[in-house]
Amino acid sequence: RAIEPWVLGPLRSFVAESSARVALLMTTSGQVVAQHGFTGALDLMAAAALGAAIVASSSELAVQMRWQPFRVMAHLGHRQSHLLVWFETPRGRWVALIVFGSETKLGLVQLFLDQLVDDLVAAAPPEPVQKREVLAADFERELNSSLRALFGR
């Protein structure tokens, strides 16, 4: 499911090719753009917030230590692993959180993720010249609309 319809095709291809169990695309502020595999809104929102926070804190750590930014963070487990990556799109910097099983290798997931990024860049429509400001009064309605889009309710 996706908030932005143009993201669906590339995400579906990525999930099919990589055998990802869970895939989450979000902005660096934790706003969900698209997801696959989440069944609950609370789990989805928590993962988005935590993923964005990990990217922000690791980026700041790199700045403080005068290192190159950490673009890729991975944890390899016995039954499942995860990959947290930030990348640039025409719509700004996005973050991907991917969960995959032991039947898939990290290198393959990274290869297919690189293809996903290329596909997203190619599919991105031009951004509107004037962005609409979200008012506090509209926040709850916008959030509920986004959750309905992501979970088909």
Side-chain angles (χ1 to χ4, degrees):
R1 306 245 180 217
I3 300 296
E4 300 278 353
W6 57 270
V7 176
L8 271 179
L11 181 62
R12 284 183 180 144
S13 295
F14 168 77
V15 168
E17 292 171 337
S18 69
S19 299
R21 295 178 181 175
V22 172
L24 171 58
L25 299 177
M26 65 192 123
T27 65
T28 54
S29 63
Q31 179 184 7
V32 176
V33 177
Q35 68 94 8
H36 166 82
F38 284 92
T39 57
L42 290 177
D43 292 341
L44 173 66
M45 301 314 260
L50 292 169
I54 291 167
V55 167
S57 62
S58 65
S59 294
E60 183 57 28
L61 175 63
V63 167
Q64 294 300 318
M65 301 302 290
R66 293 182 174 82
W67 296 337
Q68 291 294 317
F70 302 118
R71 193 182 78 76
V72 177
M73 290 158 273
H75 170 76
L76 301 177
H78 291 288
R79 285 187 261 167
Q80 71 180 21
S81 302
H82 71 262
L83 179 65
L84 184 66
V85 179
W86 61 261
F87 55 92
E88 301 296 337
T89 75
R91 298 288 174 97
R93 185 172 287 174
W94 283 8
V95 177
L97 172 62
I98 311 301
V99 178
F100 55 98
S102 58
E103 71 282 357
T104 307
K105 300 296 181 214
L106 175 61
L108 283 176
V109 174
Q110 288 178 302
L111 178 74
F112 291 126
L113 185 63
D114 289 344
Q115 183 61 54
L116 171 63
V117 172
D118 291 344
D119 292 348
L120 289 171
V121 168
E127 193 155 11
V129 175
Q130 187 174 22
K131 289 186 175 183
R132 185 176 66 85
E133 185 176 332
V134 177
L135 303 175
D138 297 332
F139 178 76
E140 185 175 3
R141 184 175 43 77
E142 294 281 334
L143 176 61
N144 288 332
S145 174
S146 295
L147 290 173
R148 278 192 302 279
L150 289 168
F151 290 99
R153 295 181 184 141

